Amino acid sequence: MSEGTMISVCGLVDEDPNRFHINLQCGEEDDANVAFHFNPRFGKGVIVRNNRVDNHWNKEQREDELEDGFPFEPNCFFNVVFSCENDCYKVAVNGKHLLDFAHRTPCDEVTHLLVAGAIRLLAVRIE
């Protein structure tokens, strides 16, 4: 991954979701470093962001209330776009900017994308 890269993840949220995550990873192994962990949690309507280095998670970032509300709904389609900027990842959901996550790991170390949890993955596009 490099500055200017955009990754679009399209999916359908399960009917009774708990959470899902999208990881920008530095390898395919289960214990690979994670440059960006994007983790919507439905119970409290928060989106947890973090990274992992050498099997240690760093300090989470989260807001209990998002400016425009929690953007994911059960049984609804979504599109999340990650744009790699020189100092952060910009994240948009369904065409609206949601948040920024400052780089904690150089983006050129990202080699894999992991999507898991209470969604059905429909498409991934990398530009």
Side-chain angles (χ1 to χ4, degrees):
M1 192 163 195
S2 61
E3 186 178 339
T5 302
M6 288 180 38
I7 299 175
S8 175
V9 177
C10 298
L12 174 66
V13 177
D14 289 351
E15 286 184 34
D16 186 22
N18 180 19
R19 64 177 70 180
F20 71 92
H21 63 268
I22 301 170
N23 287 352
L24 303 179
Q25 295 194 172
C26 308
E28 65 180 306
E29 304 82 17
D30 289 339
D31 63 349
N33 288 345
V34 176
F36 184 20
H37 173 71
F38 179 82
N39 180 216
R41 298 181 183 180
F42 289 82
K44 294 184 178 183
V46 299
I47 299 176
V48 173
R49 286 98 56 212
N50 206 343
N51 78 312
R52 183 178 69 199
V53 177
D54 297 332
N55 273 328
H56 296 284
W57 289 103
N58 289 307
K59 185 175 180 178
E60 290 183 347
Q61 292 180 359
R62 61 169 75 203
E63 284 85 30
D64 290 332
E65 291 189 27
L66 297 164
E67 185 175 312
D68 291 326
F70 189 70
F72 301 98
E73 299 277 336
N75 208 32
C76 288
F77 293 99
F78 67 87
N79 180 39
V80 178
V81 176
F82 300 91
S83 299
C84 185
E85 305 292 326
N86 70 336
D87 60 343
C88 70
Y89 295 102
K90 292 194 175 290
V91 181
V93 177
N94 301 329
K96 292 181 76 174
H97 179 264
L98 180 68
L99 57 89
D100 294 346
F101 182 78
H103 293 301
R104 297 177 178 176
T105 301
C107 61
D108 63 357
E109 292 183 18
V110 174
T111 58
H112 288 75
L113 178 73
L114 173 70
V115 181
I119 63 166
R120 184 179 322 150
L121 181 63
L122 301 175
V124 172
R125 188 168 135 189
I126 301 172
E127 294 180 35

